[in-house]
Amino acid sequence: MEIAKITSKGQVTIPKAIRRKMAVGAGDRLAFEVDSDGALHAFPIRNAETPLRGLLSEHATGEPIDSERIDEGIRRRTVERFSRR
């Protein structure tokens, strides 16, 4: 188990061993999810330019949708797409 400290700005340095296992480095992006037990999961986003493009297209109905539903849909699909199950 690796331990990291949260700074006053809410920043955390991901320990080197974890960065190696995740194959991430400076400039890479991560998606985060907190499950119902409060556990934090981080998923590397491999293509930072297009990771969310088309995520919700299969659900398009042509009806207006509020931003909360959009955010929830993006969160759910990001976890589905980038989780390593």
Side-chain angles (χ1 to χ4, degrees), residues 43 55 58-59 73-85:
F43 308 95
L55 272 179
E58 67 192 58
H59 303 287
I74 290 171
R75 183 202 62 77
R76 188 173 53 253
R77 289 299 305 272
T78 300
V79 169
E80 289 171 6
R81 180 177 272 182
F82 296 107
S83 67
R84 296 182 185 180
R85 295 179 187 177

Side-chain angles (χ1 to χ4, degrees), residues 24 27 45 63 75 77:
V24 297
I45 298 175
E63 297 295 318
R75 183 202 62 77
R77 289 299 305 272

Side-chain angles (χ1 to χ4, degrees), residues 2-17:
E2 300 288 334
I3 297 175
K5 183 177 179 180
I6 300 173
T7 69
S8 62
K9 292 183 179 183
Q11 299 171 331
V12 175
T13 298
I14 300 171
K16 189 174 187 176

